[in-house]
Amino acid sequence: MAVTKAYILSDGEIVKSDYLDRFAIKQESRKIPFDKFKDSYDQYGLVRPIYNLEMLAQLLEINTYHYRAVKTKARDTVGLGWYLEPKNGLKEPDQSQKEKAMAFLEDPNPDKSLITLLNNVMVDYEATGNGCLEVIRDGDEIIGLEHIPFHTIRIHMDMNRYCQIRGDQRVWFKRFGLEQDVHFKTGEYHPLGSLPQEERANEIIHLRNYSSRSDFYGMPDILPALGAILADKERAEYNISFFENHAIPAYVVTVTGADLDDETEQMIKKYFQEDVKNSKHSTLVITAKKGDDDVSGDPIEIKFQALSTETKEASFRMFRQDNRDEILSAHGVPPYRAGITVEGQLGGSTAKESTEIYKQSVVKPRQEMIENVINRYILKAGLQVTDWKFRLREIDTKERTAEIQTLKTLFDLGAYSPNMILEKLGEERIDDPNMDRHFIYGKPLNPSEEETSAILNSLKEFHQKLLEIATKEKMENEGKN
């Protein structure tokens, strides 16, 4: 028996079911995209990544939530500022070392600040599971830093050399601290210091998000939620493909025992586009005839069935929300931190608790990794700065006023010195030995008569500093309101 099915759209157009089938989501190939290193792995002894790094980098371009989570984690890790503090509680750290470190860290690159460089490295780290920082030397002295997009890098099997390919150009780098020269064009080893400066490969500091499946490359946090990204992409493509050319289906019409010929189709179209608009109570009379070769004698039956588009649209919204939640969960980022307001969820203390968990479990380990890199490789090994350490500012999850009150209590009890309080507030220390003393309710412990006057002057400076902090905090709060 002949059965023809079509859909009547909300604008009265008629689309046959075989046309809609062309918009159905089909299973696409999951083959790895082209790899520009494919001819170099065996030839140069490079290690092939488990996952295609270009593909991982491109995921940022196809999913809003993944992009926002990556940017948020990078900003929260390295984008809130930095400072230097004395190492291991030194009472009299070498000020010349601080000046040397500050001079480099404040100008590590002609075009980019340290925050920008580290932010770019962390975006790569979150997107591909790997990030790298190029270290530039003049002789033995470190003179600059640069960021290299990691999807352009491959690691040699000896884990001491790195190769970058862009277009038809190939450049070699060596692991930071390797006591051998590497030729930047050929990748060949030479004794340390034997190559001219212009032929030496620069050094790379490689940051890797640990993967138990590879000793060479890391894996990004998003990988377990890759299916959610692909599913959301297919959802979007399905909607765009169909709805940019057609309206939402409102009815399905099924003709049994006959064909849906052009005359009947035009009659239905005229009814929904003209008659219904002019009169909501108009009647549609349809005539249909069997084909000349149909001798079955079966009756002709025509059915109209209204479609519940609201249910389908709601399903799409729930499907997208599920994908969003899985992506953010893989990243460990609270929704509101990525700029998403979740209806029905309470703010206030819940938001603060979520931020604190995110800060301790996601952001802080990354900050410790970056701090270790700067302190161990740049300050200590590169600049011979041993009295000072690099610190990244943390997300402020506390009420400033309550925090200051708590610190004041600790100061009055002699638990914290003035400089310890300033460090807790993320402020610069006061270069005064009296600011490292402890006080009981404002009175110094065992001062000599000569020290009393100097101590009082130092405390005045400290109180002025706290007043400036409180005033700044008040102005910021008034600006928000």
Side-chain angles (χ1 to χ4, degrees):
M1 180 182 298
V3 178
T4 303
K5 182 178 288 188
Y7 294 91
I8 302 172
L9 307 179
S10 56
D11 62 357
E13 286 292 331
I14 297 176
V15 181
K16 292 186 178 180
S17 59
D18 60 350
Y19 182 81
L20 262 70
D21 288 341
R22 288 158 48 188
F23 291 95
I25 297 176
K26 301 294 193 298
Q27 179 65 36
E28 297 181 357
S29 171
R30 294 289 184 263
K31 66 180 181 181
I32 295 177
F34 172 75
D35 185 352
K36 57 179 171 288
F37 282 86
K38 66 183 181 66
D39 297 325
S40 301
Y41 291 115
D42 294 334
Q43 183 178 357
Y44 296 103
L46 304 179
V47 178
R48 187 186 301 272
I50 299 175
Y51 305 99
N52 186 277
L53 298 179
E54 286 83 359
M55 181 200 72
L56 292 175
Q58 289 172 7
L59 290 180
L60 289 176
E61 303 172 11
I62 67 174
N63 188 272
T64 305
Y65 307 122
H66 174 48
Y67 173 86
R68 180 49 49 203
V70 165
K71 290 288 188 176
T72 298
K73 289 164 78 176
R75 181 198 66 229
D76 289 343
T77 300
V78 300
L80 303 179
W82 57 271
Y83 60 97
L84 297 178
E85 67 178 21
K87 194 171 184 180
N88 301 326
L90 287 175
K91 294 288 181 73
E92 297 181 2
D94 188 336
Q95 293 299 318
S96 64
Q97 288 189 11
K98 181 179 182 181
E99 293 173 3
K100 181 179 181 181
M102 292 294 292
F104 178 81
L105 295 176
E106 288 178 343
D107 188 24
N109 186 287
D111 304 314
K112 304 167 191 157
S113 68
L114 180 63
I115 292 299
T116 300
L117 289 171
L118 295 178
N119 183 79
N120 293 345
V121 170
M122 290 309 298
V123 168
D124 280 357
Y125 181 86
E126 301 299 343
T128 70
N130 302 270
C132 68
L133 199 61
E134 179 187 8
V135 180
I136 305 167
R137 292 182 187 264
D138 182 9
D140 294 332
E141 181 184 0
I142 294 180
I143 61 171
L145 301 174
E146 184 59 273
H147 159 253
I148 302 177
F150 197 87
H151 71 273
T152 66
I153 294 284
R154 295 297 183 273
I155 305 173
H156 192 273
M157 62 179 60
D158 63 16
M159 301 183 74
N160 287 324
R161 291 174 289 173
Y162 299 79
C163 183
Q164 181 189 29
I165 292 181
R166 276 202 155 174
D168 58 352
Q169 295 183 329
R170 181 179 293 102
V171 178
W172 287 86
F173 299 87
K174 70 174 187 175
R175 175 177 56 80
F176 183 88
L178 180 67
E179 295 185 351
Q180 286 181 279
D181 281 349
V182 173
H183 197 284
F184 83 104
K185 283 189 176 181
T186 66
E188 296 176 348
Y189 283 117
H190 293 268
L192 185 65
S194 63
L195 283 178
Q197 181 70 41
E198 62 272 13
E199 296 181 11
R200 296 178 192 173
N202 285 342
E203 294 164 283
I204 274 183
I205 300 173
H206 178 201
L207 280 65
R208 184 168 68 97
N209 193 359
Y210 174 74
S211 168
S212 58
R213 295 189 60 202
S214 174
D215 292 329
F216 298 88
Y217 300 94
M219 62 171 279
D221 288 349
I222 191 58
L223 208 57
L226 185 60
I229 289 183
L230 298 178
D232 200 61
K233 180 175 182 290
E234 290 176 338
R235 174 202 58 77
E237 289 179 347
Y238 175 85
N239 284 342
I240 292 172
S241 310
F242 184 78
F243 292 112
E244 72 179 0
N245 297 305
H246 298 284
I248 300 172
Y251 287 88
V252 59
V253 55
T254 305
V255 180
T256 304
D259 294 327
L260 183 61
D261 55 28
D262 292 340
E263 182 179 352
T264 304
E265 183 177 324
Q266 291 302 319
M267 188 184 305
I268 296 172
K269 184 185 298 184
K270 178 179 179 296
Y271 173 75
F272 280 95
Q273 289 183 336
E274 299 178 12
D275 298 344
V276 171
K277 291 181 179 180
N278 296 331
S279 174
K280 295 182 179 180
H281 302 287
S282 60
T283 302
L284 172 64
V285 178
I286 296 179
T287 59
K289 60 181 180 180
K290 292 179 175 290
D292 296 336
D293 57 346
D294 190 344
V295 295
S296 63
D298 294 327
I300 299 175
E301 184 179 7
I302 301 177
K303 290 183 178 180
F304 287 83
Q305 181 179 355
L307 295 177
S308 176
T309 59
E310 290 80 6
T311 301
K312 181 177 291 187
E313 290 174 351
S315 297
F316 270 114
R317 286 195 298 270
M318 289 187 289
F319 182 52
R320 188 178 194 196
Q321 182 176 323
D322 289 343
N323 292 331
R324 178 199 72 191
D325 292 346
E326 185 173 350
I327 291 167
L328 294 182
S329 177
H331 278 292
V333 176
Y336 79 94
R337 195 76 194 174
I340 299 168
T341 302
V342 180
E343 296 181 4
Q345 286 193 1
L346 299 176
S349 62
T350 302
K352 291 177 183 176
E353 290 171 3
S354 298
T355 301
E356 187 62 29
I357 294 172
Y358 162 67
K359 172 184 172 181
Q360 296 298 331
S361 63
V362 176
V363 176
K364 193 169 182 179
R366 285 164 168 76
Q367 289 188 322
E368 290 174 350
M369 174 184 66
I370 294 294
E371 289 170 352
N372 180 64
V373 165
I374 300 298
N375 288 319
R376 181 180 178 184
Y377 298 123
I378 305 303
L379 295 187
K380 184 178 179 181
L383 301 176
Q384 287 75 52
V385 173
T386 57
D387 286 7
W388 297 86
K389 60 182 178 180
F390 174 86
R391 293 293 302 273
L392 288 164
R393 299 197 185 280
E394 300 179 352
I395 302 171
D396 187 4
T397 59
K398 301 176 182 178
E399 292 289 344
R400 195 73 160 184
T401 304
E403 184 181 10
I404 291 176
Q405 185 60 42
T406 300
L407 292 173
K408 181 181 181 302
T409 301
L410 293 172
F411 172 75
D412 288 340
L413 295 175
Y416 276 11
S417 69
N419 271 336
M420 291 172 67
I421 291 176
L422 291 174
E423 288 175 359
K424 286 292 182 180
L425 294 174
E427 302 292 334
E428 290 287 337
R429 293 165 53 93
I430 296 176
D431 187 15
D432 184 334
N434 289 318
M435 292 298 94
D436 291 312
R437 299 182 69 128
H438 292 257
F439 299 79
I440 300 293
Y441 291 101
K443 296 181 179 181
L445 299 178
N446 303 320
S448 65
E449 292 182 3
E450 294 79 11
E451 292 176 318
T452 302
S453 177
I455 291 172
L456 290 175
N457 290 332
S458 298
L459 285 177
K460 288 180 181 179
E461 183 181 356
F462 173 60
H463 290 154
Q464 181 62 34
K465 183 95 172 180
L466 289 181
L467 181 61
E468 291 174 0
I469 295 171
T471 303
K472 180 181 177 182
E473 182 74 16
K474 181 179 179 181
M475 292 177 63
E476 289 179 351
N477 291 334
E478 290 176 350
K480 292 178 182 177
N481 298 329

